[in-house]
Coordinates of all heavy atoms in Angstrom, one line a residue:
M743 N 69.5 109.4 114.5 CA 68.1 109.7 114.4 C 67.4 108.5 114.9 O 67.7 107.4 114.4 CB 67.8 110.1 113.0 CG 66.4 110.2 112.8 SD 66.0 111.4 111.5 CE 65.5 112.8 112.2
P744 N 66.5 108.6 115.8 CA 65.7 107.4 116.3 C 64.7 107.0 115.2 O 64.2 107.7 114.4 CB 65.0 107.9 117.5 CG 65.0 109.4 117.5 CD 66.1 109.8 116.6
K745 N 64.6 105.7 115.2 CA 63.7 105.1 114.2 C 62.3 105.2 114.7 O 62.0 105.0 115.9 CB 64.0 103.6 114.1 CG 63.3 102.9 112.9 CD 63.8 101.5 112.8 CE 63.1 100.9 111.6 NZ 63.5 99.5 111.5
S746 N 61.4 105.6 113.8 CA 60.0 105.8 114.2 C 59.3 104.5 114.5 O 59.7 103.5 113.9 CB 59.2 106.6 113.1 OG 59.2 105.8 111.9
R747 N 58.4 104.6 115.4 CA 57.7 103.4 115.8 C 56.7 103.0 114.7 O 56.0 103.8 114.1 CB 56.9 103.7 117.1 CG 56.4 102.4 117.7 CD 55.9 102.7 119.1 NE 55.1 104.0 119.1 CZ 54.2 104.3 119.9 NH1 53.9 103.5 120.9 NH2 53.6 105.5 119.8
I748 N 56.7 101.7 114.3 CA 55.8 101.2 113.3 C 54.5 100.9 113.9 O 54.4 100.2 114.9 CB 56.4 99.9 112.6 CG1 57.8 100.3 112.0 CG2 55.5 99.4 111.6 CD1 58.5 99.1 111.5
R749 N 53.5 101.5 113.2 CA 52.1 101.2 113.7 C 51.6 99.9 113.2 O 51.7 99.6 112.1 CB 51.2 102.3 113.2 CG 51.5 103.7 113.7 CD 50.5 104.7 113.2 NE 50.9 106.0 113.6 CZ 50.8 107.1 112.8 NH1 50.2 106.9 111.6 NH2 51.2 108.2 113.2
K750 N 51.1 99.2 114.2 CA 50.6 97.8 113.8 C 49.1 98.0 113.3 O 48.3 98.6 114.0 CB 50.6 96.9 115.0 CG 50.2 95.5 114.7 CD 50.3 94.6 115.9 CE 49.8 93.2 115.4 NZ 49.8 92.3 116.5
K751 N 48.9 97.5 112.1 CA 47.6 97.6 111.5 C 46.7 96.5 112.2 O 47.2 95.4 112.4 CB 47.6 97.4 110.0 CG 48.3 98.6 109.3 CD 48.2 98.4 107.8 CE 48.8 99.6 107.2 NZ 48.8 99.5 105.7
A752 N 45.4 96.8 112.3 CA 44.5 95.8 112.9 C 44.3 94.7 111.8 O 44.3 95.0 110.6 CB 43.2 96.5 113.3
D753 N 44.0 93.6 112.3 CA 43.6 92.5 111.4 C 42.3 92.8 110.6 O 41.6 93.7 111.0 CB 43.4 91.2 112.2 CG 44.7 90.7 112.7 OD1 45.8 91.1 112.2 OD2 44.7 89.9 113.7
Y754 N 42.1 92.1 109.5 CA 41.0 92.4 108.7 C 39.7 92.1 109.5 O 39.6 91.0 110.1 CB 41.0 91.6 107.4 CG 39.7 91.7 106.6 CD1 39.5 92.8 105.9 CD2 38.8 90.6 106.6 CE1 38.3 92.9 105.1 CE2 37.7 90.7 105.9 CZ 37.4 91.9 105.1 OH 36.3 92.0 104.4
T755 N 38.8 93.0 109.5 CA 37.5 92.8 110.1 C 36.5 93.0 109.0 O 36.4 94.0 108.4 CB 37.2 93.8 111.3 OG1 37.3 95.1 110.8 CG2 38.1 93.5 112.4
P756 N 35.6 92.0 108.8 CA 34.6 92.1 107.7 C 33.6 93.2 108.1 O 33.4 93.5 109.2 CB 34.0 90.7 107.6 CG 34.2 90.1 109.0 CD 35.5 90.7 109.5
P757 N 33.0 93.8 107.1 CA 32.0 94.8 107.3 C 30.8 94.2 108.0 O 30.5 93.0 107.9 CB 31.6 95.4 105.9 CG 32.1 94.3 105.0 CD 33.2 93.6 105.6
P758 N 30.1 94.9 108.8 CA 28.9 94.4 109.5 C 27.9 93.9 108.5 O 27.7 94.5 107.4 CB 28.4 95.5 110.3 CG 28.9 96.8 109.7 CD 30.2 96.4 109.0
S759 N 27.2 92.8 108.8 CA 26.2 92.2 107.9 C 25.0 93.1 107.8 O 24.6 93.8 108.8 CB 25.8 90.8 108.4 OG 25.2 90.9 109.7
K760 N 24.5 93.2 106.7 CA 23.3 94.0 106.4 C 22.0 93.3 106.9 O 21.9 92.1 106.7 CB 23.2 94.4 104.9 CG 24.4 95.2 104.4 CD 24.2 95.5 103.0 CE 25.4 96.3 102.5 NZ 25.3 96.6 101.0
Q761 N 21.1 94.1 107.4 CA 19.9 93.6 107.8 C 19.0 93.4 106.5 O 18.9 94.3 105.7 CB 19.1 94.6 108.7 CG 19.8 94.8 110.0 CD 19.6 93.7 111.0 OE1 18.6 92.9 110.8 NE2 20.4 93.5 112.0
V762 N 18.5 92.2 106.4 CA 17.6 91.9 105.2 C 16.2 92.3 105.6 O 15.6 91.9 106.6 CB 17.6 90.4 104.9 CG1 16.7 90.1 103.8 CG2 19.1 90.0 104.6
T763 N 15.7 93.3 104.8 CA 14.3 93.7 105.0 C 13.4 93.1 103.9 O 13.7 93.2 102.7 CB 14.2 95.2 105.0 OG1 14.7 95.7 103.7 CG2 14.9 95.9 106.1
A764 N 12.4 92.5 104.3 CA 11.4 91.9 103.4 C 10.6 93.0 102.7 O 10.1 93.8 103.4 CB 10.6 90.9 104.1
I765 N 10.5 92.9 101.4 CA 9.6 93.8 100.7 C 8.2 93.2 100.7 O 8.0 92.1 100.2 CB 10.1 94.0 99.3 CG1 11.5 94.5 99.3 CG2 9.2 94.9 98.5 CD1 12.2 94.6 97.9
K766 N 7.3 93.9 101.2 CA 6.0 93.4 101.3 C 5.2 94.0 100.1 O 5.0 95.2 100.0 CB 5.3 93.8 102.6 CG 3.9 93.3 102.8 CD 3.4 93.6 104.2 CE 2.0 92.9 104.3 NZ 1.4 93.2 105.6
L767 N 4.8 93.2 99.2 CA 3.9 93.6 98.1 C 2.5 93.4 98.5 O 2.1 92.3 98.9 CB 4.3 92.8 96.9 CG 5.7 92.9 96.3 CD1 5.9 92.0 95.2 CD2 5.9 94.3 95.9
T768 N 1.7 94.4 98.3 CA 0.3 94.3 98.7 C -0.4 93.5 97.6 O -0.1 93.6 96.4 CB -0.3 95.7 98.8 OG1 -0.2 96.4 97.6 CG2 0.3 96.5 99.9
S769 N -1.3 92.7 98.0 CA -2.0 91.9 97.1 C -3.1 92.7 96.4 O -4.0 93.3 97.0 CB -2.7 90.7 97.9 OG -3.5 90.0 97.0
R770 N -3.0 92.7 95.1 CA -4.0 93.5 94.3 C -4.6 92.5 93.4 O -4.4 92.4 92.2 CB -3.3 94.6 93.5 CG -2.7 95.6 94.4 CD -2.3 96.8 93.6 NE -1.7 97.8 94.6 CZ -1.2 98.9 94.2 NH1 -1.1 99.2 92.9 NH2 -0.8 99.8 95.1
T771 N -5.5 91.7 93.9 CA -6.1 90.6 93.1 C -7.2 91.2 92.2 O -7.6 90.5 91.3 CB -6.8 89.6 94.1 OG1 -7.7 90.3 94.9 CG2 -5.7 88.9 94.9
W772 N -7.6 92.4 92.4 CA -8.6 93.0 91.6 C -8.1 93.5 90.2 O -8.9 93.7 89.3 CB -9.3 94.2 92.3 CG -8.3 95.3 92.7 CD1 -7.6 95.4 93.8 CD2 -8.0 96.4 91.8 NE1 -6.8 96.5 93.8 CE2 -7.0 97.2 92.6 CE3 -8.4 96.9 90.6 CZ2 -6.5 98.3 92.1 CZ3 -7.8 98.0 90.1 CH2 -6.9 98.7 90.8
V773 N -6.8 93.6 90.1 CA -6.3 94.3 88.9 C -6.5 93.4 87.6 O -6.9 93.9 86.6 CB -4.8 94.6 89.1 CG1 -4.1 95.1 87.8 CG2 -4.6 95.6 90.2
A774 N -6.1 92.2 87.7 CA -6.2 91.3 86.5 C -7.6 91.2 86.0 O -7.8 91.3 84.8 CB -5.5 90.0 86.8
P775 N -8.6 90.9 86.9 CA -9.9 90.8 86.3 C -10.5 92.1 85.7 O -11.1 92.1 84.7 CB -10.8 90.4 87.6 CG -9.8 89.8 88.5 CD -8.5 90.5 88.3
V776 N -10.2 93.2 86.4 CA -10.7 94.5 85.9 C -10.0 94.8 84.5 O -10.6 95.3 83.6 CB -10.5 95.6 86.9 CG1 -10.7 97.0 86.3 CG2 -11.3 95.4 88.1
M777 N -8.7 94.6 84.5 CA -8.0 94.8 83.2 C -8.5 94.0 82.1 O -8.8 94.5 81.0 CB -6.5 94.5 83.4 CG -5.6 94.6 82.2 SD -3.9 94.1 82.5 CE -4.1 92.4 82.8
L778 N -8.7 92.7 82.3 CA -9.2 91.8 81.3 C -10.6 92.2 80.9 O -11.0 92.2 79.7 CB -9.1 90.4 81.7 CG -7.7 89.8 81.8 CD1 -7.7 88.4 82.4 CD2 -7.0 89.9 80.5
A779 N -11.4 92.6 81.9 CA -12.8 93.0 81.6 C -12.8 94.2 80.7 O -13.6 94.3 79.8 CB -13.6 93.2 82.9
M780 N -12.0 95.2 81.0 CA -11.9 96.4 80.2 C -11.5 96.1 78.7 O -12.1 96.6 77.8 CB -10.9 97.4 80.8 CG -11.4 97.9 82.1 SD -12.9 98.9 82.0 CE -12.2 100.4 82.5
F781 N -10.5 95.2 78.6 CA -10.1 94.8 77.3 C -11.3 94.1 76.5 O -11.5 94.4 75.3 CB -8.9 93.8 77.3 CG -7.6 94.4 77.7 CD1 -6.7 93.7 78.3 CD2 -7.4 95.8 77.6 CE1 -5.4 94.2 78.7 CE2 -6.2 96.3 77.9 CZ -5.2 95.5 78.5
V782 N -12.0 93.2 77.2 CA -13.0 92.5 76.5 C -14.2 93.4 76.2 O -14.8 93.3 75.1 CB -13.5 91.3 77.4 CG1 -14.8 90.7 76.9 CG2 -12.4 90.3 77.5
I783 N -14.6 94.3 77.1 CA -15.7 95.2 76.8 C -15.3 96.2 75.7 O -16.2 96.4 74.8 CB -16.0 96.1 78.1 CG1 -16.6 95.2 79.2 CG2 -16.9 97.3 77.8 CD1 -16.7 95.9 80.5
G784 N -14.1 96.7 75.6 CA -13.7 97.5 74.5 C -13.7 96.8 73.2 O -14.2 97.3 72.2
L785 N -13.2 95.6 73.2 CA -13.2 94.8 72.0 C -14.6 94.4 71.5 O -15.0 94.6 70.3 CB -12.4 93.5 72.2 CG -12.3 92.6 71.0 CD1 -11.5 93.3 69.8 CD2 -11.6 91.3 71.3
A786 N -15.5 94.0 72.5 CA -16.8 93.7 72.2 C -17.6 94.9 71.6 O -18.4 94.8 70.7 CB -17.5 93.1 73.4
W787 N -17.3 96.1 72.2 CA -18.0 97.3 71.8 C -17.6 97.6 70.3 O -18.5 97.9 69.5 CB -17.5 98.5 72.6 CG -18.3 99.8 72.5 CD1 -18.3 100.6 71.5 CD2 -19.2 100.3 73.5 NE1 -19.1 101.7 71.7 CE2 -19.7 101.5 73.0 CE3 -19.6 99.9 74.7 CZ2 -20.6 102.3 73.6 CZ3 -20.5 100.7 75.4 CH2 -21.0 101.9 74.9
I788 N -16.4 97.5 69.9 CA -16.0 97.7 68.6 C -16.5 96.7 67.6 O -17.0 97.0 66.5 CB -14.4 97.8 68.5 CG1 -13.9 99.0 69.2 CG2 -14.0 97.8 67.0 CD1 -12.4 99.1 69.4
V789 N -16.5 95.4 68.0 CA -17.0 94.3 67.2 C -18.5 94.5 67.0 O -19.0 94.4 65.8 CB -16.7 92.9 67.8 CG1 -17.5 91.8 67.1 CG2 -15.2 92.7 67.7
V790 N -19.3 94.8 68.0 CA -20.7 95.0 67.9 C -21.0 96.2 66.9 O -21.9 96.1 66.1 CB -21.4 95.2 69.3 CG1 -22.8 95.7 69.1 CG2 -21.4 93.9 70.0
F791 N -20.2 97.2 67.0 CA -20.4 98.4 66.2 C -20.2 98.0 64.7 O -21.0 98.4 63.8 CB -19.4 99.5 66.6 CG -19.4 100.7 65.6 CD1 -20.5 101.6 65.6 CD2 -18.4 100.9 64.7 CE1 -20.5 102.6 64.8 CE2 -18.4 102.0 63.9 CZ -19.5 102.9 63.9
Y792 N -19.2 97.2 64.4 CA -18.9 96.8 63.0 C -19.9 95.8 62.5 O -20.4 95.9 61.4 CB -17.5 96.3 62.9 CG -16.5 97.4 62.7 CD1 -15.5 97.6 63.6 CD2 -16.5 98.2 61.6 CE1 -14.5 98.6 63.4 CE2 -15.6 99.2 61.4 CZ -14.6 99.4 62.3 OH -13.7 100.4 62.2
V793 N -20.3 94.9 63.4 CA -21.2 93.8 62.9 C -22.6 94.4 62.6 O -23.3 94.0 61.7 CB -21.3 92.7 64.0 CG1 -22.4 91.7 63.7 CG2 -20.0 91.9 64.0
T794 N -23.1 95.4 63.4 CA -24.4 95.9 63.2 C -24.4 97.1 62.3 O -25.4 97.8 62.2 CB -25.0 96.4 64.6 OG1 -24.1 97.4 65.2 CG2 -25.1 95.2 65.5
D795 N -23.3 97.4 61.6 CA -23.2 98.5 60.6 C -23.5 99.8 61.3 O -24.0 100.7 60.7 CB -24.1 98.3 59.4 CG -23.7 97.1 58.5 OD1 -22.4 96.9 58.4 OD2 -24.5 96.5 57.9
G796 N -23.1 100.0 62.5 CA -23.1 101.3 63.2 C -24.4 101.6 63.9 O -24.6 102.6 64.5
S797 N -25.4 100.6 63.9 CA -26.7 100.9 64.6 C -26.6 100.6 66.1 O -27.4 101.1 66.8 CB -27.8 100.1 63.9 OG -27.6 98.7 64.1
L798 N -25.7 99.8 66.5 CA -25.5 99.5 67.9 C -24.1 99.8 68.3 O -23.2 99.9 67.4 CB -25.8 98.0 68.2 CG -27.3 97.6 68.2 CD1 -27.4 96.1 68.4 CD2 -28.1 98.3 69.2
P799 N -23.6 99.9 69.4 CA -24.2 100.0 70.8 C -25.0 101.2 71.0 O -26.1 101.2 71.6 CB -23.1 99.8 71.7 CG -21.9 99.6 71.0 CD -22.2 99.8 69.5
I800 N -24.5 102.4 70.6 CA -25.2 103.7 70.7 C -25.3 104.3 69.4 O -24.3 104.8 68.9 CB -24.6 104.6 71.8 CG1 -24.5 103.9 73.1 CG2 -25.3 105.9 71.9 CD1 -23.8 104.7 74.2
D801 N -26.5 104.4 68.8 CA -26.6 104.9 67.4 C -26.3 106.4 67.3 O -25.8 106.8 66.3 CB -28.1 104.6 67.0 CG -28.3 104.9 65.5 OD1 -27.3 104.8 64.8 OD2 -29.4 105.2 65.1
A802 N -26.6 107.1 68.4 CA -26.3 108.6 68.3 C -24.9 108.9 68.2 O -24.5 110.0 67.7 CB -27.0 109.2 69.5
L803 N -24.0 108.1 68.7 CA -22.6 108.4 68.7 C -21.9 108.2 67.3 O -20.9 108.8 67.0 CB -21.8 107.5 69.7 CG -22.0 107.8 71.2 CD1 -21.3 106.8 72.0 CD2 -21.7 109.2 71.5
G804 N -22.5 107.4 66.5 CA -22.0 107.2 65.1 C -20.6 106.5 65.2 O -20.4 105.5 65.9
N805 N -19.7 107.1 64.5 CA -18.3 106.5 64.5 C -17.5 106.8 65.8 O -16.5 106.2 65.9 CB -17.5 107.1 63.3 CG -18.0 106.5 62.0 OD1 -18.5 105.4 61.9 ND2 -17.8 107.3 60.9
W806 N -18.1 107.6 66.7 CA -17.4 107.8 67.9 C -17.5 106.5 68.8 O -16.8 106.4 69.8 CB -18.0 109.0 68.7 CG -17.5 110.3 68.1 CD1 -18.2 111.1 67.2 CD2 -16.3 110.9 68.4 NE1 -17.4 112.2 66.9 CE2 -16.2 112.1 67.6 CE3 -15.2 110.6 69.2 CZ2 -15.2 113.0 67.7 CZ3 -14.2 111.5 69.3 CH2 -14.1 112.7 68.5
N807 N -18.3 105.6 68.4 CA -18.4 104.3 69.1 C -17.0 103.6 69.1 O -16.6 102.9 70.0 CB -19.4 103.4 68.5 CG -20.8 103.7 69.0 OD1 -21.1 103.8 70.2 ND2 -21.7 104.0 68.0
I808 N -16.3 103.8 68.0 CA -14.9 103.2 67.9 C -14.0 103.9 69.0 O -13.2 103.2 69.7 CB -14.3 103.5 66.5 CG1 -15.2 102.7 65.5 CG2 -12.9 103.0 66.5 CD1 -14.8 103.0 64.1
V809 N -14.1 105.2 69.2 CA -13.3 105.9 70.2 C -13.7 105.4 71.6 O -12.8 105.2 72.5 CB -13.5 107.4 70.1 CG1 -12.8 108.1 71.2 CG2 -13.1 107.9 68.7
V810 N -15.0 105.1 71.8 CA -15.4 104.6 73.1 C -14.8 103.2 73.3 O -14.3 102.9 74.4 CB -17.0 104.5 73.2 CG1 -17.4 103.8 74.5 CG2 -17.6 105.9 73.1
G811 N -14.8 102.3 72.3 CA -14.2 101.0 72.4 C -12.7 101.1 72.8 O -12.2 100.4 73.6
F812 N -12.0 102.0 72.0 CA -10.6 102.1 72.3 C -10.4 102.8 73.7 O -9.3 102.6 74.3 CB -9.9 102.9 71.2 CG -9.6 102.0 70.0 CD1 -10.2 102.2 68.8 CD2 -8.6 101.0 70.1 CE1 -9.9 101.5 67.7 CE2 -8.3 100.2 69.0 CZ -8.9 100.5 67.8
G813 N -11.3 103.6 74.1 CA -11.2 104.2 75.4 C -11.2 103.1 76.5 O -10.5 103.2 77.5
F814 N -12.1 102.1 76.4 CA -12.1 101.0 77.3 C -10.8 100.2 77.3 O -10.3 99.8 78.3 CB -13.3 100.0 77.0 CG -14.6 100.4 77.6 CD1 -15.6 100.9 76.8 CD2 -14.8 100.4 79.0 CE1 -16.9 101.3 77.3 CE2 -16.0 100.8 79.5 CZ -17.1 101.2 78.7
I815 N -10.3 100.0 76.1 CA -9.0 99.3 76.0 C -7.9 100.1 76.6 O -7.1 99.5 77.3 CB -8.7 99.0 74.5 CG1 -9.8 98.0 74.0 CG2 -7.3 98.4 74.3 CD1 -9.7 97.7 72.5
A816 N -7.9 101.4 76.4 CA -6.9 102.3 77.0 C -7.0 102.3 78.5 O -6.0 102.3 79.3 CB -7.0 103.7 76.5
A817 N -8.3 102.3 79.0 CA -8.5 102.2 80.5 C -7.9 100.9 81.0 O -7.4 100.8 82.1 CB -9.9 102.3 80.8
G818 N -8.1 99.8 80.2 CA -7.5 98.5 80.7 C -6.0 98.6 80.8 O -5.4 98.0 81.7
F819 N -5.3 99.3 79.8 CA -3.9 99.4 80.0 C -3.6 100.3 81.2 O -2.5 100.1 81.8 CB -3.3 100.1 78.7 CG -3.1 99.0 77.6 CD1 -3.8 99.1 76.4 CD2 -2.2 98.0 77.8 CE1 -3.6 98.2 75.4 CE2 -2.0 97.1 76.7 CZ -2.7 97.2 75.6
G820 N -4.4 101.3 81.4 CA -4.2 102.1 82.6 C -4.3 101.4 83.9 O -3.5 101.5 84.8
V821 N -5.2 100.4 84.0 CA -5.4 99.6 85.2 C -4.2 98.7 85.3 O -3.8 98.3 86.4 CB -6.7 98.8 85.1 CG1 -6.8 97.8 86.2 CG2 -7.9 99.8 85.2
S822 N -3.6 98.2 84.1 CA -2.5 97.3 84.2 C -1.3 97.8 84.9 O -0.4 97.1 85.3 CB -2.2 96.8 82.8 OG -1.6 97.8 82.0
T823 N -1.2 99.1 85.0 CA 0.0 99.7 85.6 C -0.1 99.5 87.1 O 0.9 99.7 87.8 CB 0.1 101.2 85.3 OG1 -1.0 101.9 85.8 CG2 0.2 101.5 83.8
Q824 N -1.2 99.1 87.6 CA -1.3 98.9 89.1 C -0.9 97.5 89.5 O -0.9 97.1 90.6 CB -2.8 99.1 89.5 CG -3.3 100.5 89.3 CD -2.4 101.5 90.1 OE1 -2.2 101.3 91.3 NE2 -2.1 102.6 89.4
W825 N -0.6 96.7 88.5 CA -0.3 95.3 88.7 C 1.1 95.2 89.3 O 2.1 95.7 88.8 CB -0.4 94.5 87.5 CG -0.5 93.0 87.6 CD1 -0.4 92.3 88.8 CD2 -0.7 92.1 86.6 NE1 -0.5 91.0 88.5 CE2 -0.8 90.8 87.2 CE3 -0.9 92.2 85.2 CZ2 -1.0 89.6 86.5 CZ3 -1.1 91.0 84.5 CH2 -1.2 89.8 85.1
K826 N 1.3 94.4 90.4 CA 2.6 94.2 91.0 C 2.9 92.7 91.1 O 2.1 91.9 91.2 CB 2.6 94.7 92.5 CG 2.6 96.2 92.5 CD 2.9 96.7 93.9 CE 2.9 98.2 93.9 NZ 3.2 98.8 95.1

């Protein structure tokens, strides 16, 4: 029986190098100032409400002024999700 021919394996060839693609992050310089402004406005709204015993910022809202203040703070957190 003839001996089968042995296949010669190719030498090791490293995998092709990967192309490095730069990730371009867009500059969002407006996010931090708007976020901080919303936090400060919300905090100031609540503080003014408590200091004036509910007569300011808007007397007609009554205790809903607290919800408005927390709304500004929540909006600040919403804006913070745009930060990269």
Side-chain angles (χ1 to χ4, degrees):
M743 173 152 253
K745 189 175 181 183
S746 65
R747 194 171 38 156
I748 298 175
R749 295 181 189 143
K750 183 177 180 183
K751 292 184 179 181
D753 292 336
Y754 173 75
T755 55
S759 62
K760 295 180 181 178
Q761 296 279 342
V762 178
T763 55
I765 299 172
K766 185 175 182 179
L767 296 176
T768 57
S769 176
R770 296 188 179 177
T771 56
W772 59 272
V773 173
V776 170
M777 176 184 65
L778 292 175
M780 296 295 247
F781 289 155
V782 170
I783 290 170
L785 181 64
W787 194 288
I788 294 171
V789 168
V790 167
F791 175 72
Y792 277 116
V793 169
T794 61
D795 290 327
S797 62
L798 288 176
I800 300 175
D801 191 25
L803 290 179
N805 286 334
W806 284 97
N807 281 305
I808 297 171
V809 175
V810 172
F812 278 114
F814 276 110
I815 293 171
F819 280 114
V821 170
S822 71
T823 62
Q824 299 298 315
W825 198 354
K826 287 187 178 183

